[in-house]
Amino acid sequence: MEVKNPYLVISAPDSKSWPDSELPEIVMAGRSNVGKSSLINTITRRKNLAYVGNTPGKTRLLNFFNIDDRFMLVDVPGYGYANASKKMLIQFGEMMEEYFGERKQKKGLLIIVDARHKPSEDDLTMIEYARYHHMKLAIIATKIDKLKKNEIKKCLEKIKTTFELTDEEPLIAFSSEKKQGIDRVWQMIDEMLEDR
């Protein structure tokens, strides 16, 4: 899909700052340093739409990106950051509870994981949120280019097993570096948006 005019609407610190919009929303969540910003920049073909930081755990806000007035891509703060304070972790949990519980525009959740690692407890909590709220769901395994060819299948199988994925919960192999998986991500987003 060709994206013509994506832009950051707001980085919202709380629900009072959420945009007043009727556009459907696709949520993107994952651990800090998993490549969410690179994924956003890659699928929109923009170098700097989402900030790519050197320090993991910098994003502490809900970032709402307008994608051609068609839908919003909502990037939630990276979780699992080792240096996060207890207070920050509680705030993150409350922010997620509020968004998932109250935001009517949400249509689907993309959980981003590093293909090289087994999903964490935080990843499992996030998938439980989605299933509890009956959201359409897909897992995107990033950094696939950093694996040897003979390792890819084994690593993807480990992710699938850990999440106990159903046939309705696809696992997409993705690489920002090699531009792999872009069409599959868009196909999944389209399916989520059609499911009104």
Side-chain angles (χ1 to χ4, degrees), residues 30-189:
R31 285 174 64 83
S32 298
N33 210 24
V34 81
K36 281 191 297 140
S37 298
S38 296
L39 191 149
I40 292 168
N41 292 337
T42 301
I43 65 170
T44 58
R45 291 183 166 83
R46 296 295 184 281
K47 273 188 181 168
N48 303 308
L49 180 62
Y51 174 72
V52 181
N54 293 326
T55 310
K58 279 287 190 192
T59 309
R60 289 280 155 246
L61 307 163
L62 242 58
N63 293 312
F64 290 81
F65 296 94
N66 181 310
I67 310 296
D68 293 347
D69 290 327
R70 185 170 165 239
F71 71 97
M72 293 266 200
L73 197 53
V74 184
D75 180 22
V76 309
Y79 47 76
Y81 181 45
N83 290 356
S85 67
K86 196 167 185 183
K87 184 182 173 193
M88 202 181 272
L89 292 172
I90 290 166
Q91 283 173 339
F92 172 76
E94 288 170 351
M95 189 191 289
M96 290 298 85
E97 286 280 4
E98 195 172 17
Y99 179 85
F100 281 103
E102 293 182 20
R103 196 72 169 163
K104 301 283 186 268
Q105 295 91 320
K106 62 188 185 304
K107 295 295 172 196
L109 173 65
L110 305 173
I111 296 183
I112 320 303
V113 296
D114 187 326
R116 300 168 296 176
H117 307 298
K118 184 180 174 181
S120 67
E121 286 300 318
D122 294 316
D123 292 319
L124 290 165
T125 300
M126 193 54 74
I127 206 169
E128 281 165 20
Y129 264 136
R131 286 168 176 159
Y132 177 79
H133 290 285
H134 306 291
M135 289 175 74
K136 284 203 80 151
L137 182 66
I139 311 298
I140 302 176
T142 61
K143 307 187 183 185
I144 208 84
D145 54 283
K146 299 193 186 306
L147 288 167
K148 295 182 180 131
K149 276 194 175 173
N150 63 340
E151 296 174 324
I152 293 173
K153 191 175 178 187
K154 193 168 66 176
C155 288
L156 292 178
E157 202 52 52
K158 190 189 290 180
I159 292 166
K160 202 170 183 176
T161 306
T162 306
F163 277 132
E164 297 178 354
L165 295 179
T166 67
D167 292 340
E168 286 76 45
E169 298 168 344
L171 174 59
I172 302 166
F174 188 88
S175 166
S176 292
E177 194 69 36
K178 305 267 187 187
K179 307 288 185 279
Q180 180 185 341
I182 296 173
D183 290 344
R184 187 73 186 91
V185 171
W186 277 117
Q187 183 188 348
M188 195 61 230
I189 288 172

Side-chain angles (χ1 to χ4, degrees), residues 20-32:
D20 183 13
S21 156
E22 293 302 313
L23 289 175
E25 293 175 0
I26 303 295
V27 188
M28 193 175 274
R31 285 174 64 83
S32 298

